């Protein structure tokens, strides 16, 4: 789509005398669309753009790409009393650049919000980066939290037409553009009662939470409409005759019959339908061939393009950055040095359109090789291990690990920060260390093992001069391992490693974010049995049954509360979760460990429930205790798979200190309170312990919804990004609920409709279907297996 041309900034005289006479392709009514590079014509402008579509998205975030449902017309809304508002002598390039800077910098949107711009001479410019179907930033109905940027095209007309008529040349260009976009996206421009689902965000008080939402709202109205037809108090786009646009666009589309499209130097020919390029290989003799500019043809997704394999190198036609393909995702290579260090070859780099490139979700940047020492502009030095940067906290540790200063690579801060932060580098195995207190520890596998006596120290052949003295903060970075009270204890340390490997095949541990707060808030806890308290990994104190512990949260200290028995249940006294249907209940009871820890990602202190996965599943409140057993089994297995998927992938929220949250956007987790209310669910879950669903030999992301409305939805169309990859083939949707399924409007509106449809699955269970049959019905191509 975005091909850079070696053009200087055009003057308005050049535009008026040249481009306005060449607005369509020869002998057609198809409009010429000028590439974005006409106005994004220097490096400083390119660097302003910070929002790139195709990044990996959470399933409750608005999608970067969506099927086009409507075309929304705007004018500039400039002050009509300003003499320059409708001044056609103004340089359109400067006007577009002004809008771009305002949207990108002032509004913080990361790019221009409109997809297309039409100037006073009828020239049409490509606006927003990303191609057909990319989410815009032009129409958001705040009153209802309806995001009309998803699934629409935004066109802006230069000028304000509240009190004046749109110039005829602009009318003609607008008609052609609307006709072209309607034809290529299979829309009827004259449809005045088009039904579509609208992306709707939840409200946080009086503010729309634009980072979340789903297709929870609906809109019925014209396919071609003005901003004012969505927000009636908004006059945009003034007196523009939309009825004329609709009718003339419909007539123009009739001229597009029997067209095939190509671009110069391309031996392939395409049809364009539903926003997609489809290669045409049949007899072309009865078709008219139209040669489009490359950027205009490439704005559509090419569904016949060859899929890139892992380790492919790829770049956009319009941007210089090169990416490495891994697991159907693209990882940016942030520097020439790293490109060379990885021994990549420039002649292996494939160029794609921006729209085709976005098929590969953006993942973490390519990391420096394990063992690399790196630093940015700050003096801190890091060691790269497993693609994370681990801070070397002192010169002592640097020397202890045998590092050399001449091996430290100085890189940009962008490259440095692209590596997720890992745990700090610790002393090498076999080091003897002590903090301010007299205890001496033996370091092994990043644990500290207390040597209990001088006799043991000497019997092991250790030397006093080899003991390294470190600070209290540094010694507290080590988890406490088994104490060494004899030579046999020391020799048994190997058994710890064996046990660790055995535990890898055991039931997983999940970390659930219960709630967060600003630093400085009071946290209170008690339990129905004895519990231990640890501060920064060190044992602090023991509390008895019903004994309350209180702390003031901060960003430095980590507190963990560990039950002494399996039956000990914690009560979070500073947290309330009272069901609307019973004010006598409070779901603030939890099995397992409770941790209070500050997150550098969300900049808040989190209360986290850390517990065995099967105990977590007992507290999932996504079903009722009286639901059919086979349905419950299917839902529990999907929930277990969903949880394990996020555990295996480092958590749903990138680099956060927990795997998932306890809210309905993840899985509604109510803890021990729900477990007590749902004995049948607990019983059913116990009978299918460790059973998961896999797809492509990977744990499946077990998505489910309350009500699909009758036919399950395609996760790619609902959320885009990673969900369009081959690993999500089981979520392509189109699965009809069985006959007899009853749907409720409230459940449909509150549901994303992807994966298992709970209403339909319960009907299948009542019909005698097993949980295996239910899962395979809603998730085609899966396998069901027991992993622990």
């Amino acid at each position: 789509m975005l091909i850079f041309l070696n053009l200087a900034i055009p003057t308005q005289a050049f535009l008026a005398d040249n481009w306005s006479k060449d607005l369509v392709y020869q002998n057609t009514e198809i409009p010429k669309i000028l590439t974005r590079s006409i106005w994004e014509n220097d490096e400083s402008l390119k660097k302003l753009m910070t929002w790139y579509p195709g990044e990996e998205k959470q399933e409750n975030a608005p999608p970067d790409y969506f099927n086009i449902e409507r075309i929304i017309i705007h004018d500039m809304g400039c002050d009509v009393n300003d003499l320059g508002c409708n001044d056609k002598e103004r340089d359109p390039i400067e006007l577009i650049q002004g809008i771009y800077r305002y949207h990108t910098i002032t509004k913080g949107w990361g790019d221009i919000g409109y997809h297309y711009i039409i100037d006073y001479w009828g020239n049409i410019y490509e606006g927003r980066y990303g191609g057909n179907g990319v989410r815009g930033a032009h129409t958001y109905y705040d009153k209802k939290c309806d995001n009309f940027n998803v699934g629409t095209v935004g066109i802006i007309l230069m000028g304000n037409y509240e009190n004046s008529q749109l110039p005829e040349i602009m009318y003609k260009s607008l008609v052609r553009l609307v006709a072209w976009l309607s034809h290529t996206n299979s829309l009827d421009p004259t449809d005045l009662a088009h039904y579509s689902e609208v992306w709707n965000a939840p409200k946080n008080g009086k503010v729309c939470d634009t980072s979340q939402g789903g297709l929870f709202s609906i809109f019925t109205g014209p396919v071609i409409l003005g901003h004012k037809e969505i927000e009636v108090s908004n006059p945009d786009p003034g007196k523009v005759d939309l009825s004329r646009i609709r009718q003339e666009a419909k007539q123009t589309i009739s001229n597009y019959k029997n067209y095939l499209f190509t671009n110069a130097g391309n031996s392939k020919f395409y049809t364009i339908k539903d926003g997609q390029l489809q290669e045409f290989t049949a007899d072309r003799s009865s078709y008219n061939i139209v040669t489009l500019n490359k950027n205009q043809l490439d704005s559509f997704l090419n569904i016949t393009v060859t899929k890139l394999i892992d380790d492919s190198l790829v770049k956009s036609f319009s941007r210089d950055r090169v990416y490495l393909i891994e697991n159907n995702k693209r990882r940016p290579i942030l520097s020439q040095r790293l490109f060379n260090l990885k021994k990549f070859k420039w002649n292996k780099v494939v160029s794609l359109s921006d729209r085709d490139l976005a098929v590969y979700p953006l993942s973490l940047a390519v990391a420096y090789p394990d063992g690399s020492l790196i630093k940015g502009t700050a003096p801190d030095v890091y060691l790269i291990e497993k693609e994370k940067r681990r801070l070397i906290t002192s010169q002592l540790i640097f020397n202890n690990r045998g590092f050399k200063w001449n091996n430290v690579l100085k890189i940009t801060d962008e490259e440095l920060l692209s590596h997720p932060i890992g745990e700090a580098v610790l002393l090498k195995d076999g080091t003897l260390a002590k903090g301010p207190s007299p205890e001496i520890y033996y370091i092994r596998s990043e644990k500290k093992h207390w040597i209990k006596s001088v006799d043991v120290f000497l019997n092991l052949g250790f030397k006093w001069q080899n003991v390294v003295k470190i600070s209290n903060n540094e010694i507290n970075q080590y988890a406490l391992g088994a104490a060494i009270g004899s030579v046999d204890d020391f020799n048994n340390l190997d058994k710890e490693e064996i046990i660790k490997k055995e535990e890898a095949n055991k039931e997983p541990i999940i970390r659930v974010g219960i709630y967060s707060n600003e630093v400085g808030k009071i946290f209170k806890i008690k339990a129905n049995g004895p519990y231990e308290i640890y501060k920064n990994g060190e044992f602090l104190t023991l509390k008895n049954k019903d004994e309350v512990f209180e702390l003031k949260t901060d960003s430095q200290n980590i507190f963990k509360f560990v039950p002494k028995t399996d039956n000990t249940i914690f009560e979070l006294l500073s947290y309330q979760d009272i069901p609307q249907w019973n004010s006598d209940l409070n779901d603030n009871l939890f099995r397992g460990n409770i941790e209070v820890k500050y997150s550098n990602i969300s900049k808040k202190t989190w209360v986290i429930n850390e517990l065995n996965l099967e105990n977590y599943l007992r507290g999932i409140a996504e079903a009722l205790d009286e639901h059919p057993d086979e349905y419950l089994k299917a839902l529990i297995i999907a929930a277990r798979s969903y949880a394990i998927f996020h555990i295996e992938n480092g958590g749903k929220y990138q680099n956060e200190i927990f795997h998932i949250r306890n809210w309905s956007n993840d899985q509604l987790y109510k803890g021990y309170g729900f477990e007590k209310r749902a004995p049948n669910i607990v019983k059913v879950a116990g009978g299918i312990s460790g059973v998961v669903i896999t797809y492509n030999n990977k744990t499946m992301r077990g998505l489910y919804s309350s009500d699909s409305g009758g036919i399950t939805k395609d996760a790619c169309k609902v959320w885009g990004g990673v969900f369009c990859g081959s690993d999500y083939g089981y979520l392509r949707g189109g699965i009809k609920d069985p006959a007899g399924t009853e749907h409720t409007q409230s459940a449909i509106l509150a549901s994303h409709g992807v994966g298992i449809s709970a209403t339909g699955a319960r009907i299948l269970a009542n019909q005698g279907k097993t949980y295996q049959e239910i899962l395979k019905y809603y998730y085609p191509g899966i396998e069901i297996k027991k992993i622990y």
Side-chain angles (χ1 to χ4, degrees):
M1 180 174 60
L2 302 174
I3 299 298
F4 282 94
L5 306 175
N6 293 320
L7 294 176
I9 297 177
T11 65
Q12 59 264 44
F14 178 82
L15 288 166
D17 293 342
N18 293 277
W19 289 350
S20 60
K21 297 177 182 178
D22 192 20
L23 300 177
V24 296
Y25 291 93
Q26 189 174 10
N27 300 321
T28 75
E29 284 294 309
I30 296 175
K32 282 189 176 180
I33 299 172
L34 302 173
T35 176
R36 176 182 170 117
S37 63
I38 295 294
W39 57 265
E40 191 193 37
N41 47 30
D42 64 42
E43 286 299 317
S44 64
L45 287 168
K46 285 201 286 186
K47 289 179 180 178
L48 295 180
M49 192 177 82
T50 57
W51 186 82
Y52 284 83
E55 296 183 7
E56 184 170 358
K57 295 290 178 184
Q58 303 298 338
E59 58 260 32
N60 51 336
D64 288 349
Y65 285 95
F66 204 77
N67 290 343
I68 299 299
E69 298 281 355
R70 300 180 199 279
I71 300 171
I72 303 176
I73 314 298
H74 307 260
D75 64 14
M76 283 178 58
C78 52
D79 186 353
V80 292
N81 296 315
D82 183 345
L83 294 177
C85 182
N86 288 327
D87 181 8
K88 66 177 297 184
E89 296 304 315
R90 295 184 68 182
D91 188 338
I93 302 302
E94 291 181 358
L95 279 174
I96 296 171
Q97 290 171 346
I99 297 170
Y100 173 60
R101 290 188 178 94
Y102 178 68
H103 286 185
T104 304
I105 302 172
T106 308
K107 302 295 286 185
W109 295 342
D111 193 11
I112 192 168
Y114 303 105
H115 297 91
Y116 299 97
I117 308 104
I118 300 179
D119 72 13
Y120 299 113
W121 298 284
N123 298 297
I124 303 171
Y125 305 83
E126 180 183 38
R128 194 165 182 83
Y129 176 94
N132 191 75
V134 70
R135 172 161 51 93
H138 57 92
T139 308
Y140 198 102
Y141 193 4
D142 293 291
K143 186 177 180 180
K144 293 186 175 181
C145 293
D146 281 347
N147 188 351
F148 281 89
N149 296 305
V150 175
T152 66
V153 177
I155 302 173
I156 185 171
L157 305 164
M158 286 191 179
N160 184 321
Y161 301 98
E162 187 175 353
N163 300 319
S164 62
Q165 295 296 325
L166 186 70
E168 186 63 21
I169 196 169
M170 294 181 73
Y171 255 124
K172 289 182 177 179
S173 287
L174 180 56
V175 165
R176 294 183 186 115
L177 179 58
V178 167
W180 172 247
L181 295 173
S182 298
H183 172 71
T184 53
N185 287 285
S186 304
L187 300 174
D188 178 1
T190 60
D191 186 352
L192 301 180
H194 182 64
Y195 170 93
S196 68
E197 296 168 314
V198 178
W199 192 269
N200 178 263
K203 272 198 173 182
N204 185 3
K206 294 184 178 181
V207 180
C208 303
D209 183 358
T210 57
S211 67
Q212 309 292 327
L215 295 171
F216 303 149
S217 188
I218 58 175
F219 183 82
T220 301
V223 167
I224 313 302
L225 70 171
H227 193 161
K228 63 185 178 183
E229 292 174 87
I230 294 171
E231 293 186 275
V232 293
S233 61
N234 193 317
D236 186 23
K239 294 183 177 181
V240 175
D241 188 346
L242 296 174
S243 178
R244 173 185 169 183
I245 299 297
R246 297 174 187 127
Q247 294 300 325
E248 293 186 11
K250 179 83 168 184
Q251 295 170 9
T252 302
I253 289 174
S254 65
N255 297 323
Y256 294 169
K257 291 180 180 178
N258 299 322
Y259 279 170
L260 294 177
F261 304 100
T262 187
N263 55 29
N266 191 348
S267 60
K268 296 181 179 180
F269 301 88
Y270 303 92
T271 58
I272 308 176
K273 184 180 179 181
D274 298 326
Q276 298 177 335
L277 292 177
Q278 173 74 55
E279 187 177 352
F280 188 84
T281 56
D283 180 29
R284 303 191 303 272
S285 59
S286 61
Y287 289 85
N288 296 318
I289 307 300
V290 181
T291 302
L292 301 176
N293 290 336
K294 185 170 177 55
N295 68 293
Q296 191 164 338
L297 188 69
D298 283 345
S299 68
F300 301 98
L301 178 65
N302 188 343
I303 60 175
T304 52
V305 72
T306 303
K307 193 77 173 176
L308 295 174
I309 62 173
D310 275 4
D311 298 324
S312 297
L313 297 170
V314 63
K315 68 179 290 293
S316 156
F317 284 120
S318 68
R319 292 294 192 270
D320 295 331
R321 179 148 291 168
V322 178
Y323 302 88
L324 175 70
I325 300 297
E326 283 187 0
N327 298 320
N328 286 318
K329 298 178 184 177
R330 54 188 164 104
R331 305 186 61 186
I333 303 167
L334 297 181
S335 70
Q336 176 73 54
R337 183 207 299 235
L338 182 57
F339 188 94
N340 295 337
L341 195 63
K342 290 284 190 176
K343 298 182 179 179
F344 295 139
K345 302 296 182 183
W346 285 104
N347 60 0
K348 300 293 185 181
V349 179
V350 176
S351 293
L352 292 181
S353 72
D354 300 308
R355 184 63 187 91
D356 290 333
L357 186 66
V359 168
Y360 303 91
L362 188 65
S363 185
L364 293 176
V366 173
Y368 276 81
D370 277 6
S372 298
L373 297 170
I374 60 172
K375 70 179 296 293
T377 54
D380 294 331
V381 177
Y382 298 86
L383 171 69
I384 300 299
E385 283 188 355
K386 296 181 179 179
E387 301 198 346
K388 293 185 177 181
R389 56 186 165 104
R390 303 184 62 190
L391 178 64
I392 303 171
T393 57
S394 68
Q395 179 72 49
L396 185 151
I397 292 178
F398 190 91
N399 295 336
N400 174 265
R401 296 292 293 261
F403 298 142
K404 304 295 181 184
W405 285 104
N406 58 358
N407 291 332
V408 178
L409 301 174
K410 294 182 180 180
I411 63 176
T412 66
D413 287 342
E414 181 191 15
E415 286 185 280
L416 180 72
L417 296 175
S418 71
H419 295 79
I421 191 74
E423 300 292 334
V425 174
L426 302 180
L427 297 166
K428 67 182 180 182
D429 283 1
T431 301
L432 299 167
K434 70 179 296 294
S437 58
E439 292 87 357
I440 295 176
Y441 298 94
Y442 177 77
I443 303 301
R444 178 165 182 160
S445 300
E446 300 190 347
K447 290 183 179 179
K448 56 183 178 183
H449 301 269
W450 175 40
I451 303 173
K452 287 186 172 181
S453 68
V454 172
D455 288 343
V456 173
F457 184 92
L458 296 175
N459 288 338
L460 290 170
F462 295 147
K463 305 293 183 184
W464 298 109
Q465 62 267 30
N466 292 335
V467 178
V468 173
K469 295 181 180 179
I470 57 179
S471 69
N472 190 55
N473 284 337
E474 288 176 310
I475 199 69
N476 285 336
Q477 289 177 337
Y478 298 85
L480 188 63
I484 302 173
S486 66
V487 173
D488 286 342
D489 286 346
F490 180 80
N491 292 332
N492 285 335
L493 292 181
D494 285 337
K495 292 182 179 179
E496 283 192 3
E497 299 300 315
I498 296 171
I499 293 171
K500 186 177 180 181
K501 291 179 180 178
E502 290 176 348
E503 288 178 346
N505 294 321
K506 290 185 177 179
E507 178 185 346
I509 300 294
I510 189 168
R511 291 170 57 82
V512 186
I514 302 299
Y515 75 99
S516 64
N517 243 326
E518 304 298 328
V519 169
K521 298 292 184 179
I522 298 298
F523 171 79
K524 292 182 180 181
I525 191 172
K526 70 174 184 177
N528 65 352
Y531 63 98
E532 296 176 333
I533 304 173
Y534 292 81
K535 181 179 180 181
N536 300 323
E538 295 283 352
F539 176 75
L540 181 65
T541 187
L542 174 69
K543 293 290 183 181
N544 294 316
K545 175 184 177 182
D546 293 331
E547 196 171 353
V548 176
F549 183 83
E550 178 178 322
L551 64 91
K552 187 175 183 181
T553 61
D554 60 50
S555 60
Q556 303 299 319
N557 295 299
I558 303 169
F559 287 85
K560 181 169 279 192
F561 304 86
V562 181
K564 287 287 286 181
T565 70
D566 290 340
N567 294 322
T568 297
I569 306 298
F570 284 111
E571 182 176 356
L572 306 184
L573 301 174
S574 48
Y575 171 68
Q576 286 194 337
D577 184 5
I578 300 174
Q580 292 182 350
W581 50 273
N582 190 340
S583 60
D584 294 332
L585 298 176
N586 189 359
D587 285 325
N588 65 344
L589 305 174
F590 299 95
R591 289 183 179 273
N593 303 331
I594 298 295
E595 184 176 85
V596 180
K597 184 176 181 180
Y598 179 77
S599 166
N600 288 316
I601 302 300
S602 50
K603 307 299 181 186
K604 291 183 179 180
T605 299
W606 280 91
V607 175
I608 298 166
N609 187 197
E610 182 183 74
L611 71 167
N612 292 338
L613 185 60
E614 295 303 317
N615 283 337
Y616 163 75
L617 291 170
R618 294 178 179 184
I620 294 292
E622 296 281 2
L624 300 179
D625 204 42
E626 60 267 24
H627 280 155
D629 282 4
E630 292 302 305
Y631 163 73
L632 291 176
K633 290 177 185 178
L635 193 66
I636 290 165
I637 293 169
R640 182 184 293 115
S641 303
Y642 180 91
I644 293 178
F645 172 89
H646 287 300
I647 293 170
E648 291 176 343
N649 287 278
K652 179 178 175 182
Y653 305 94
Q654 190 169 323
N655 298 326
E656 261 296 2
I657 57 177
F658 48 82
H659 295 121
I660 54 179
R661 293 183 59 180
N662 62 336
W663 61 347
S664 59
N665 283 336
D666 295 353
Q667 295 188 128
L668 192 61
Y669 172 63
K670 295 292 185 178
Y672 182 69
F674 182 79
E675 178 183 331
K676 290 194 298 180
R677 300 194 295 270
N680 187 51
I681 290 179
V682 172
K683 177 184 175 182
V684 169
I688 51 170
S689 174
V691 178
V692 300
I693 318 165
T694 64
Y695 186 83
N696 285 349
N697 295 316
K698 299 174 185 176
T699 306
M700 195 194 81
R701 199 170 185 162
L703 293 166
Y704 49 89
S705 69
S706 56
D707 194 334
S708 70
I711 302 177
T712 62
K713 295 182 174 64
D714 183 349
C716 176
K717 293 180 179 179
V718 174
W719 298 306
V722 65
F723 293 95
C724 298
S726 61
D727 284 343
Y728 290 86
Y730 57 92
L731 294 179
R732 290 291 76 91
I735 307 298
K736 293 183 179 180
D737 288 331
T741 303
E742 295 183 3
H743 307 285
T744 60
Q745 188 66 17
S746 60
I748 294 170
L749 290 176
S751 172
H752 51 66
V754 174
I756 292 178
S757 173
T759 53
R762 288 195 291 272
I763 294 296
L764 291 176
N766 287 330
Q767 292 174 351
K769 301 296 184 183
T770 66
Y771 74 84
Q772 295 98 329
E773 290 173 315
I774 295 171
L775 290 171
K776 290 182 179 180
Y777 180 81
Y778 280 105
Y779 299 131
I782 62 161
E783 293 184 21
I784 302 170
K785 59 179 69 174
K786 186 176 177 66
I787 62 172
Y788 61 83

